[in-house]
Amino acid sequence: MHRFAERNNQEFFFFDTGDLVEGTGLSDATNVHGEYLIALANYVNYTGATLGNHDIEYNDTVSLFSSRFLPIKYGTLVSGNVKAQDGSPLSVDFQVFDTPLGHRVLVLGFLFNFPQHSKNTIVLDYFSLFNDDQSFFQKAMSVDKVDLIVTLNHIDPQGQANYFNTQVQAIRKYHANTPLVVLSGHRHVLYYHQYDDNAITIESGRYFENLGLVEFCLACDGSFANLTHEFIPTSLQEFYSLSNTTESSFPTHTGDLVKQVTQKMYNDLGLGEVYGCSPADFSTVTAYNDSSSIYNLFVNTIMPIYYNRSLSNTPYMITNTATLRYPIFAGPVTKDDIYSISPFGDKYMYYPGMNGAVIQNLLNYMNSIPPSSHLGGTRSLCGEREGNLPLFVGSNVPLQPDALYDVILAEYDAFVAHNGLAKLYPSQYFPESVYPGLPQPLTSTELLVRFIATSWHC
């Protein structure tokens, strides 16, 4: 793409808005999430990249980024409000570069106010950055002769629109008409919005299913001209067309090397291992009570098998409807499939002795507030839910108002439940702990492996 742009007197930039880890076996089947994937990403010639919330969830993963991710070394990892716990930078606060055609580009990066970051990181308050006279933002705004501003944001452009309104307004105080491209991520949707004649945002979906392409000219007066955007499916045919190549001319030496390394990693991790064979398709979008719903399967069949012991009361399971990322298809289910469906390392928590009326009020509350209000406490914040599923679902157990239940849910969801209970019942204390009675905590990934291996024989 760089060569194609140069031949046509154009410039090409390639940016990433975060969440490199958490997705497939290549990302998460390693002892440290991202161990193999970061090595693969180092082959990518990023113009700039930023950190997402999943990149800073685990201490080991953050340490891996810090020691091995080449964009840190090259100064192209940009994040103004994510720091190491000791205050030292994990990235540059902003980036400035001059292009071969003589344009000066300013790049900034931001993460939303994510409270569940790893202990070896700090996430500075996003909104304070724009009001602090000593912050990096003021230094960035003082850079001379900027022709284009690009911001890399792991922020929901719809549910967290106030973040972008604040950002655009703050930049416009210093650069009233400078072309501004606000690249957004985190919601996992295809989205485009224009703030003014010279400011746009675009989010390009999820899981490398699409690329977002923004094309424009810089007019003599410094404004956008011929501004267009499109979402390109990530197929080889589309890549041939985009790069003006053919099946024979598209491969590069680096690309062939990455393909070989990827296959070796895949084999080394045993990602093709078949755990069992599904008897049917289970969808992420089907209505919860439908027998083909993956959430119905998970909450009402799988979880009760492993989380039904050492409890005094009837177990009641809760999960958010963004945690299972891919369907299960009828037929063989591999190790890589499992990680694609559920890559997260959450332990399961429980609230003992909660009455049915409290549980129902809690579910109603958790489903009534906008996803962005959860402040990262649920993966539903990302908008990863599909169809018309509620944000949270619970066991198909009739809740009797005065009966007692033991509520079981993943760490991420327990964070939202904790905040909800504090809001609904400020004078009451609800004890919360790691689920008891197991030799070691099971993650959702391990639950799926155990169930499929023992219940779905091929």
Side-chain angles (χ1 to χ4, degrees):
M1 288 300 298
H2 283 289
R3 291 196 296 269
F4 177 63
E6 288 172 3
R7 288 196 297 268
N8 290 279
N9 200 35
Q10 298 172 335
E11 294 177 315
F12 172 74
F13 308 132
F14 184 63
F15 295 104
D16 190 309
T17 55
D19 274 1
L20 182 64
V21 302
E22 309 285 32
T24 68
L26 281 174
S27 169
D28 304 310
T30 48
N31 290 330
V32 179
H33 285 201
E35 185 176 352
Y36 281 11
L37 198 62
I38 286 174
L40 287 175
N42 283 336
Y43 288 99
V44 178
N45 186 17
Y46 290 112
T47 307
T50 196
L51 293 164
N53 55 303
H54 291 306
D55 299 324
I56 60 168
E57 280 189 279
Y58 305 109
N59 288 347
D60 290 345
T61 299
V62 172
S63 297
L64 204 63
F65 268 102
S66 180
S67 62
R68 299 188 188 179
F69 194 39
L70 289 182
I72 293 179
K73 177 182 177 181
Y74 298 151
T76 52
L77 185 68
V78 186
S79 184
N81 63 327
V82 178
K83 308 293 179 186
Q85 194 277 333
D86 61 5
S88 61
L90 284 171
S91 60
V92 295
D93 289 332
F94 63 92
Q95 173 193 16
V96 181
F97 61 90
D98 295 314
T99 71
L101 295 183
H103 297 117
R104 175 162 292 182
V105 181
L106 170 64
V107 182
L108 300 98
F110 303 97
L111 175 66
F112 67 94
N113 288 342
F114 176 55
Q116 291 174 277
H117 52 83
S118 62
K119 292 181 180 179
N120 58 352
T121 55
I122 297 171
V123 178
L124 303 178
D125 179 66
Y126 171 91
F127 296 98
S128 299
L129 299 173
F130 304 104
N131 298 316
D132 183 356
D133 291 340
Q134 303 302 314
S135 79
F136 76 90
F137 179 75
Q138 308 301 327
K139 296 177 184 177
M141 292 299 99
S142 67
V143 175
D144 288 335
K145 299 179 181 178
V146 172
D147 299 299
L148 173 67
I149 300 173
V150 179
T151 67
L152 312 178
N153 304 273
H154 198 79
I155 299 170
D156 172 2
Q158 294 173 286
Q160 296 171 312
N162 59 320
Y163 280 75
F164 288 109
N165 292 335
T166 298
Q167 180 184 133
V168 172
Q169 291 169 12
I171 291 172
R172 283 294 179 242
K173 290 180 182 178
Y174 299 88
H175 295 274
N177 297 301
T178 303
L180 170 60
V181 177
V182 178
L183 300 178
S184 50
H186 185 60
R187 187 171 175 81
H188 293 203
V189 294
L190 302 177
Y191 179 79
Y192 180 86
H193 177 73
Q194 189 150 359
Y195 296 105
D196 60 41
D197 289 344
N198 288 308
I200 62 99
T201 189
I202 186 170
E203 178 167 356
S204 307
R206 61 177 195 171
Y207 314 147
F208 198 57
E209 293 172 348
N210 292 274
L211 293 176
L213 177 65
V214 179
E215 293 185 291
F216 53 85
C217 298
L218 292 177
C220 294
D221 63 1
S223 63
F224 278 140
N226 302 322
L227 174 66
T228 64
H229 78 279
E230 64 178 304
F231 299 106
I232 300 172
T234 51
S235 70
L236 283 173
Q237 290 300 326
E238 293 287 354
F239 288 166
Y240 300 156
S241 175
L242 185 63
S243 58
N244 195 34
T245 58
T246 63
E247 182 179 358
S248 60
S249 63
F250 179 75
T252 64
H253 172 73
T254 301
D256 289 339
L257 176 61
V258 170
K259 188 174 181 179
Q260 294 170 20
V261 172
T262 301
Q263 187 62 55
K264 184 178 185 305
M265 290 177 172
Y266 186 92
N267 294 339
D268 288 348
L269 291 170
L271 296 180
E273 179 184 356
V274 175
Y275 286 134
C277 290
S278 173
D281 293 345
F282 293 92
S283 170
T284 60
V285 301
T286 305
Y288 174 59
N289 288 324
D290 194 284
S291 61
S292 66
S293 167
I294 195 171
Y295 287 102
N296 190 337
L297 172 73
F298 190 73
V299 172
N300 296 299
T301 299
I302 298 177
M303 287 182 68
I305 292 175
Y306 302 97
Y307 289 104
N308 66 350
R309 62 195 78 175
S310 303
L311 299 179
S312 303
N313 307 294
T314 301
Y316 190 87
M317 322 295 179
I318 293 176
T319 191
N320 79 77
T321 54
T323 193
L324 303 175
R325 295 182 160 209
Y326 273 116
I328 297 174
F329 297 104
V333 181
T334 67
K335 183 177 181 179
D336 195 41
D337 292 332
I338 296 293
Y339 279 98
S340 297
I341 295 163
S342 182
F344 306 115
D346 295 343
K347 296 188 293 289
Y348 278 81
M349 315 297 290
Y350 92 116
Y351 288 92
M354 188 179 291
N355 72 45
V358 170
I359 296 172
Q360 190 60 65
N361 289 339
L362 177 61
L363 273 173
N364 291 343
Y365 175 80
M366 293 165 74
N367 278 315
S368 69
I369 57 179
S372 55
S373 300
H374 296 148
L375 291 177
T378 170
R379 295 185 174 92
S380 295
L381 169 67
C382 315
E384 294 169 23
R385 292 178 305 111
E386 300 182 68
N388 295 312
L389 288 168
L391 293 172
F392 293 87
V393 291
S395 298
N396 285 340
V397 174
L399 288 171
Q400 303 300 324
D402 297 324
L404 295 181
Y405 303 84
D406 293 321
V407 176
I408 302 162
L409 66 179
E411 278 181 293
Y412 244 75
D413 299 336
F415 178 87
V416 184
H418 176 86
N419 290 344
L421 290 168
K423 178 86 172 179
L424 293 169
Y425 303 98
S427 62
Q428 294 188 41
Y429 171 67
F430 296 91
E432 169 195 315
S433 62
V434 176
Y435 179 84
L438 293 174
Q440 62 183 22
L442 291 175
T443 66
S444 57
T445 311
E446 292 163 331
L447 286 179
L448 285 170
V449 170
R450 290 193 182 193
F451 174 77
I452 291 169
T454 57
S455 302
W456 286 352
H457 302 293
C458 292

